[in-house]
Amino acid sequence: MPLNQAQLFEEVGDALQLDEYQDFTAISDRSGLSGADGVGFMLLGLFGEVGSLLSALKKKRRDKDAFIAYESAVVEEFGDALWYLANAANRVGLKLSDLAGRVVASHVDWSYHGQPIVHTFAHLQNTSNYEASTSTAFETRLIELAAKAGGLLDSYASGRTGSNRDRLAADLVEVFRALVRAADDADISLDIAARQNVVKSEGRWPHKRVWGRPFDEGYPAPEQFLRHMVFDFSERTVNGNTFVVLEMNGVYVGDILTDNRPVEDDYRFHDIFHLAHAAVLGWSPTLRALLKRKRKSKPEIDRNEDGARAILIEEGISSWIFTHASRAMFFRSTTSLDFDLLKSVRDFVQGYEVDVRPMWQWEAAILEGYRVFRLLKEHRGGQVIVDLDEHSLTFKTR
């Protein structure tokens, strides 16, 4: 049975199994490379994540009390490094639990027989019994981790591990051991890092898409978004000034919009992004205010979720993404968005109701919005049908 986010939290008291996690990395792999053909890609990913991890760990040791700002980054980097390590091992038929057994084994007992049985990340760290290091020793450990990762990549690049699985296994064990030591020194639980890595992957590439219930479900009808709405975008020019008017059922919605920029870039069509947020996420405090659908029956929701700050956050997200999109032909040939962009968007909305929407849903909202934005640009307006039940936008020319 595929490992999923729900299972992890249903059994949160149980330690995550090493091989269970490794199975998940295989399921969540989107590289498009099968079997041993993808080993090099995984090793490059592991090397890159080790570099990011080293940077974050160094900041932790250097900044001490200010580490709160880096803790989530460190846990995330450990999880990403584990993902690539487990996936690389899986591609050559090596179980993560077998590698873990060698991590805690002595050099005189290197064979698989007679090794300590290590099934979980928690057991792996409990078994290692590495002593806390001094500042100097900590730096040495980080240098060791960098060296082991570099050695692994060098062995693969030189062909020494191409047809020698035992050599590759030995190199992976050395990196794994160095990761465990670094985690011990940083006081990071690899079990937590691996769990959060699963949550991160499930949020980005879910085994099954679950859209979530509408945020206004159960509210009085006048406070709910209509599940099917039709809007008309019209571009007009008066006295040399070009602007866009948004209408719903022949009634103006909001103010006329210009680009508000010396160099025109068609941002005047940006209300389409609010429509996309409403359709795909079921969320848009901006559109809710424009349509006078604020949830006033609950003052705290009206004030916090539908209030001015939430509106400013949505407008800020739209403007910030627009800057990125304008450098990528407004995502014309894009089918998948950069993870860091999606993570930043999630950071923007942290603490608000839409925080529960996963990254894949944000990606769908953004790409759907820009798909129709490009059509509005091309036709200089048009009709947009918003379907909250189907989580979609439909464009029609006038």
Side-chain angles (χ1 to χ4, degrees), residues 97-343:
S97 59
D98 287 337
L99 295 183
R102 288 188 173 188
V103 166
V104 301
S106 65
H107 286 254
V108 296
D109 187 19
W110 184 246
S111 68
Y112 286 111
H113 302 290
Q115 293 180 35
I117 299 176
V118 180
H119 292 302
T120 69
F121 287 105
H123 185 200
L124 176 61
Q125 285 188 280
N126 290 338
T127 306
S128 62
N129 289 325
Y130 297 120
E131 296 180 359
S133 63
T134 63
S135 178
T136 302
F138 178 76
E139 292 181 3
T140 301
R141 291 275 173 82
L142 297 188
I143 293 172
E144 176 189 9
L145 176 56
K148 297 300 183 184
L152 169 64
L153 205 60
D154 179 64
S155 292
Y156 184 81
S158 66
R160 293 193 294 273
T161 58
S163 59
N164 189 339
R165 194 181 77 146
D166 287 341
R167 175 61 185 268
L168 179 59
D171 286 346
L172 289 172
V173 166
E174 290 300 312
V175 174
F176 203 177
R177 181 181 290 117
L179 275 172
V180 173
R181 289 178 174 177
D184 286 342
D185 281 344
D187 195 25
I188 295 295
S189 164
L190 291 180
D191 181 84
I192 291 176
R195 286 177 186 274
Q196 291 193 12
N197 180 254
V198 171
V199 173
K200 169 184 171 179
S201 297
E202 277 287 296
R204 186 71 174 83
W205 302 285
H207 180 67
K208 180 181 179 181
R209 289 190 168 192
V210 179
W211 292 92
R213 299 169 64 179
F215 293 117
D216 56 12
E217 186 177 70
Y219 283 82
E223 297 180 6
Q224 294 184 29
F225 280 132
L226 296 175
R227 298 313 187 234
H228 187 273
M229 298 178 281
V230 180
F231 294 88
D232 288 287
F233 288 79
S234 302
E235 187 175 56
R236 303 174 187 177
T237 300
V238 177
N239 297 326
N241 296 315
T242 303
F243 55 88
V244 166
V245 173
L246 181 66
E247 297 174 80
M248 180 180 179
N249 299 327
V251 178
Y252 289 154
V253 177
D255 299 324
I256 61 174
L257 295 176
T258 67
D259 288 344
N260 289 326
R261 189 172 184 264
V263 179
E264 293 190 351
D265 56 7
D266 288 327
Y267 193 68
R268 52 184 170 271
F269 289 108
H270 86 273
D271 274 342
I272 189 59
F273 306 136
H274 303 313
L275 303 190
H277 293 163
V280 180
L281 301 168
W283 173 85
S284 176
T286 302
L287 185 61
R288 196 175 288 282
L290 291 175
L291 298 180
K292 296 180 172 53
R293 295 266 169 174
K294 298 178 71 174
R295 292 164 288 181
K296 292 184 177 295
S297 61
K298 291 188 178 180
E300 70 280 7
I301 297 297
D302 177 37
R303 181 174 59 253
N304 298 322
E305 300 293 352
D306 300 340
R309 186 173 177 183
I311 292 171
L312 288 173
I313 286 174
E314 186 187 9
E315 292 286 6
I317 289 172
S318 299
S319 179
W320 181 73
I321 294 177
F322 190 85
T323 300
H324 288 265
S326 64
R327 295 195 290 258
M329 297 186 297
F330 298 109
F331 302 137
R332 183 181 304 278
S333 302
T334 301
T335 58
S336 179
L337 296 177
D338 179 74
F339 179 83
D340 287 338
L341 183 148
L342 295 172
K343 182 180 176 183

